[in-house]
C-alpha cells in the first residue's frame, strides 16, 4: 500500500453511519493532540467516517485556522502515514473552533450554524476530554445549549473516586443523558488483542474447554509504565494507582478474560456477562494488596510531603463462581517502572512429572502460559515444553507466537484503540465500554481497601516495584514480567 493513498479498510459489511457533528471538549489538550485528532483523520482516510464536522472547544484563544494548524501539527507528530495536501485540506475544512468561555449560548449558535451548513439531519457525539471534576459542568453546558437530542457522550476515566462519588456522577449525567447514550471509555478494551480474547476463546474448540479452574492455575494482568507523574502530580495525588488504573482498566480487562460465553456477540449480551463477573468478584482485602511509591514522588510539585498516595499497586482478586473459584487473579501496575507493557498471562496447571528422568528440565521454566500483549504491537504467545533435538530426554521451553505483523493487511490499517471506540460510540455499540452498574459494583467491592489502605513501600525509580512484598504476594508463583525471553520481532 502506497503511503499517500487513502486507507482501504472499510468493506461493504460496514454499516453506513448517520452524518455527525463531533463536539470535542478539551480539544487542545494532550489526549486530543496525541490520539483524538489524529484518530479522526485516520478514520476519515479509512473510509469509516460519515459526513461529519468537528467542533473543538477549550480555553485556548484559537480561531478556526489556529485550531486547524494545531490539528495538522498533531497529525504530523502522531499520524501513522504522510497525507496528501488536498486530502488534508478536505479534512481541515471540517474543523471549527469556539472558546469555552463563550459558554452554552456560543456553543449552541455555532452548532446550529454547522448543522445548517451540512443541510441534513445529524447526530451529535460529545467527547469529554476534560478532567473528571469538569464532567458535570460540561453536561450542564450541553443541556443549556440544547445539544442533547440525537446525541451521545463519551466520558473519560476516572468515573468517581469511590462508590458515593460514582453514584453522584452517574446520577448527574443521567439527568441529562439516559445511560444507553453514555459511553464510559476504556481504551484497553479497544485494542485488537483484547478483542482477540473473545475470538480465541469462543471461536476455537481448543481453548474454551480448558478455560476454567480445572486447567488454569492463575491469571496475571500486568501493566507497568515507565512514565512518572511529573506534570500531572496534582491530579494523581488525589487519585493514586488503584483509582487511576485498576478500577477503570485492569478490572475491566479481567472481566473480558473471565466472562462466560455471551448468548450473542452483541453489546447487551456481552455487557451482562461482564457485569456478572463484577458481581462475583470478592471484596478486595487490604491484606491482598501491596502499595508502593517511587523514590522522588514526594518532590513533585503539588504533592504533599507526607503523601501516602500509591504510584504502584499489586493485588490478588478472586471470583466466586463455578468457573473460577479458587483461581487467583494477580493484577499489577505502577508508574516509573523498568519497562512499559500491557499483558494478560494465563498460567495452566502443570501435569505430573514423575515419568520424566531427573535432569530432564521438565518444570524448570514454570507452567505453560498463554500470553496476550495488549500493547500496540498486538501479539499472542503460547509457551509449552518440547524435547530438545539430540540424544536423551532433555526438555526446553518453546513457544508459538502470532502478531498482526504477520497477517496480510498492513499493521497501519488496523484501527487504534481510540479510533475503534469513537467509531463504536458513533454506532451506539456499548460492547467495549464500561457500564454504570459495573463501575458502581467495582467501587463497592473496593470499599474495604479504600477505608483501610495498607502501608506504602518505597521502590527505586526504574525498577519493578517494591520487590519483597510484591513477590510475597504472588508466592509460590512468580511474576511473568520481566520476560526471560523477549517477543520475536516481525520478519
Amino acid at each position: 500500500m502506497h503511503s499517500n493513498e487513502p486507507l482501504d479498510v472499510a468493506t461493504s459489511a460496514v454499516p453506513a453511519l448517520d452524518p455527525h457533528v463531533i463536539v470535542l471538549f478539551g480539544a487542545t489538550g494532550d489526549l486530543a493532540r496525541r490520539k483524538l485528532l489524529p484518530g479522526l483523520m485516520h478514520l476519515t482516510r479509512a473510509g469509516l467516517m460519515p459526513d461529519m464536522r468537528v467542533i473543538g472547544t477549550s480555553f485556548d484563544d484559537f480561531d478556526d485556522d489556529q485550531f486547524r494548524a494545531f490539528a495538522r501539527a498533531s497529525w504530523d507528530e502522531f499520524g501513522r502515514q504522510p497525507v496528501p495536501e488536498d486530502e488534508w485540506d478536505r479534512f481541515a475544512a471540517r474543523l471549527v473552533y469556539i472558546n469555552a468561555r463563550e459558554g452554552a449560548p456560543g456553543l449552541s449558535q455555532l452548532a446550529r450554524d454547522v448543522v445548517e451548513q451540512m443541510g441534513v439531519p445529524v447526530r451529535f457525539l460529545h467527547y469529554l476530554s476534560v478532567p473528571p471534576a469538569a464532567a458535570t459542568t460540561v453536561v450542564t453546558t450541553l443541556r443549556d445549549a440544547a445539544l442533547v437530542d440525537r446525541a451521545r457522550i463519551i466520558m473519560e476515566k476516572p468515573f468517581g473516586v469511590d462508590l458515593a462519588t460514582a453514584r453522584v456522577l452517574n446520577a448527574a449525567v443521567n439527568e441529562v443523558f439516559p445511560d444507553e447514550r453514555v459511553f464510559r471509555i476504556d481504551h484497553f478494551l479497544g485494542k485488537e488483542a483484547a478483542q482477540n480474547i473473545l475470538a480465541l476463546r469462543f471461536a476455537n474448540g481448543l481453548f474454551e474447554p480448558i478455560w476454567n479452574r480445572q486447567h488454569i492455575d492463575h491469571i496475571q494482568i500486568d501493566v507497568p509504565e515507565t512514565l512518572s507523574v511529573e506534570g500531572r502530580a496534582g491530579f494523581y495525588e488525589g487519585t493514586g494507582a488503584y483509582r487511576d488504573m485498576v478500577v477503570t482498566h485492569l478490572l475491566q480487562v479481567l472481566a473480558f478474560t473471565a466472562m462466560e460465553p455471551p448468548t450473542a456477540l452483541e453489546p447487551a449480551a456481552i455487557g451482562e456477562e461482564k457485569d456478572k463477573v463484577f458481581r462475583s468478584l470478592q471484596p478486595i482485602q487490604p491484606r491482598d494488596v501491596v502499595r508502593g511509591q517511587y523514590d522522588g514522588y514526594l518532590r513533585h510539585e503539588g504533592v504533599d510531603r507526607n503523601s501516602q498516595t500509591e504510584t504502584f499497586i499489586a493485588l490478588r482478586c478472586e471470583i466466586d463462581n463455578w468457573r473460577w473459584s479458587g483461581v487467583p487473579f494477580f493484577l499489577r501496575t505502577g508508574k516509573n517502572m523498568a519497562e512499559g507493557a500491557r499483558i494478560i498471562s494465563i498460567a495452566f496447571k502443570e501435569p505430573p512429572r514423575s515419568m520424566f528422568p531427573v535432569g530432564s528440565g521438565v518444570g524448570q521454566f514454570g507452567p505453560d502460559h498463554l500470553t496476550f500483549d495488549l500493547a500496540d504491537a498486538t501479539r499472542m504467545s503460547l509457551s509449552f515444553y518440547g524435547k530438545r533435538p539430540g540424544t536423551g530426554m532433555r526438555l526446553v521451553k518453546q513457544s508459538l507466537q502470532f502478531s498482526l505483523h504477520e497477517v496480510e493487511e498492513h499493521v497501519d490499517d488496523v484501527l487504534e484503540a481510540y479510533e475503534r471506540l469513537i467509531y463504536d460510540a458513533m454506532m451506539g455499540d456499548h460492547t467495549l465500554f464500561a457500564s454504570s452498574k459495573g463501575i458502581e459494583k467495582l467501587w463497592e467491592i473496593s470499599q474495604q481497601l479504600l477505608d483501610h489502605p495498607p502501608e506504602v513501600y518505597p521502590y527505586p525509580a526504574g525498577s519493578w516495584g517494591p520487590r519483597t512484598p510484591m513477590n510475597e504476594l504472588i508466592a509460590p508463583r512468580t511474576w511473568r514480567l520481566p520476560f526471560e525471553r523477549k517477543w520475536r520481532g516481525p520478519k
Side-chain angles (χ1 to χ4, degrees), residues 168-207:
V168 169
L169 176 61
N170 288 335
V173 173
N174 290 155
E175 281 186 5
V176 180
F177 291 91
D179 211 48
E180 62 269 17
R181 291 199 270 137
V182 181
F183 292 77
R184 298 166 183 85
I185 197 166
D186 175 9
H187 67 273
F188 278 37
L189 295 187
K191 294 181 177 295
E192 288 289 333
Q195 297 163 60
N196 249 326
I197 298 171
L198 297 183
L200 184 133
R201 280 188 63 186
F202 302 133
N204 297 288
L206 176 63
F207 291 105

Side-chain angles (χ1 to χ4, degrees), residues 68-327:
R68 291 163 183 164
F70 176 84
R72 180 58 195 254
S74 300
W75 177 263
D76 289 343
E77 185 173 1
F78 299 105
R80 285 177 278 172
Q81 298 169 322
V83 59
E85 287 301 319
D86 59 339
E87 189 177 343
W88 175 262
D89 290 342
R90 288 193 297 272
F91 175 76
R94 301 179 177 189
L95 308 179
V96 295
Y97 184 85
I98 184 171
N99 194 299
R101 294 183 183 86
E102 297 195 28
L107 180 60
S108 178
Q109 183 60 57
L110 179 57
R112 286 197 298 270
D113 293 343
V114 168
V115 171
E116 184 177 346
Q117 292 168 8
M118 294 177 73
V120 294
V122 303
R123 289 188 178 274
F124 283 88
L125 179 66
H126 307 301
Y127 198 118
L128 277 58
S129 179
V130 298
T136 53
T137 301
V138 171
V139 170
T140 300
T141 298
L142 291 171
R143 180 199 63 197
D144 295 344
L147 296 178
V148 176
D149 292 341
R150 289 177 59 83
R152 303 181 178 109
I153 66 170
I154 297 178
M155 297 183 63
E156 283 282 344
K157 56 104 175 171
F159 312 115
V161 295
D162 54 23
L163 179 59
T165 55
R167 285 175 171 168
V168 169
L169 176 61
N170 288 335
V173 173
N174 290 155
E175 281 186 5
V176 180
F177 291 91
D179 211 48
E180 62 269 17
R181 291 199 270 137
V182 181
F183 292 77
R184 298 166 183 85
I185 197 166
D186 175 9
H187 67 273
F188 278 37
L189 295 187
K191 294 181 177 295
E192 288 289 333
Q195 297 163 60
N196 249 326
I197 298 171
L198 297 183
L200 184 133
R201 280 188 63 186
F202 302 133
N204 297 288
L206 176 63
F207 291 105
E208 179 54 26
I210 62 173
W211 208 271
N212 55 54
R213 58 191 170 94
Q214 277 77 34
H215 300 280
I216 291 177
D217 178 79
H218 71 280
I219 293 176
Q220 295 181 35
I221 302 173
D222 209 346
V223 187
E225 298 181 290
T226 57
L227 294 175
S228 72
V229 301
E230 188 172 6
R232 59 191 294 260
F235 157 77
Y236 202 84
E237 177 68 358
T239 306
Y242 186 81
R243 290 179 170 94
D244 184 46
M245 290 292 293
V246 176
V247 173
T248 51
H249 290 321
L250 274 67
L251 288 174
Q252 301 294 328
V253 173
L254 180 150
F256 233 52
T257 308
M259 61 186 276
E260 294 295 318
T263 55
L265 289 178
E266 297 174 351
I270 292 175
E272 174 59 22
E273 296 306 331
K274 286 174 57 185
D275 286 345
K276 285 181 182 178
V277 173
F278 297 145
R279 293 197 295 269
S280 299
L281 269 171
Q282 297 299 286
I284 307 296
Q285 301 295 331
R287 65 175 179 270
D288 292 329
V289 176
V290 174
R291 299 196 307 146
Q293 186 185 93
Y294 66 77
D295 295 336
Y297 173 77
L298 298 179
R299 293 193 294 270
H300 290 311
E301 184 179 351
V303 172
D304 188 305
R305 293 301 175 258
N306 298 310
S307 173
Q308 293 295 297
T309 298
E310 79 280 355
T311 62
F312 167 96
I313 193 160
L315 62 149
R316 174 187 175 123
C317 302
E318 293 196 4
I319 300 172
D320 186 19
N321 63 18
W322 283 95
R323 183 181 292 267
W324 296 113
S325 179
V327 177

Side-chain angles (χ1 to χ4, degrees), residues 357-476:
V358 175
S360 66
V362 65
Q364 180 179 345
F365 303 101
D368 300 337
H369 286 89
L370 176 64
T371 302
F372 296 86
D373 184 357
L374 301 187
D376 292 335
T378 308
R379 299 171 290 200
M380 294 187 296
S381 172
L382 178 63
S383 68
F384 52 90
Y385 284 98
K387 181 183 177 299
R388 175 180 289 171
T391 58
M393 180 59 70
R394 180 67 179 170
L395 303 181
V396 294
K397 205 73 169 183
Q398 300 173 343
S399 67
L400 298 173
Q401 295 188 11
F402 164 80
S403 170
L404 280 182
H405 289 285
E406 298 168 13
V407 299
E408 291 183 4
E409 292 81 10
H410 194 278
V411 70
D412 284 344
D413 292 351
V414 177
L415 296 182
E416 290 187 347
Y418 280 99
E419 297 163 3
R420 169 65 187 265
L421 294 170
I422 289 172
Y423 179 76
D424 283 357
M426 294 173 75
M427 290 185 61
D429 185 339
H430 275 90
T431 302
L432 302 177
F433 294 85
S435 71
S436 59
K437 290 190 300 182
I439 290 293
E440 290 183 11
K441 183 60 181 179
L442 292 178
W443 285 124
E444 182 181 331
I445 67 167
S446 302
Q447 198 60 52
Q448 293 184 43
L449 172 63
L450 299 179
D451 290 343
H452 306 286
E455 66 177 299
V456 173
Y457 294 94
Y459 65 94
S463 72
W464 285 99
R467 182 172 182 177
T468 299
M470 77 176 186
N471 288 339
E472 290 175 348
L473 175 70
I474 201 172

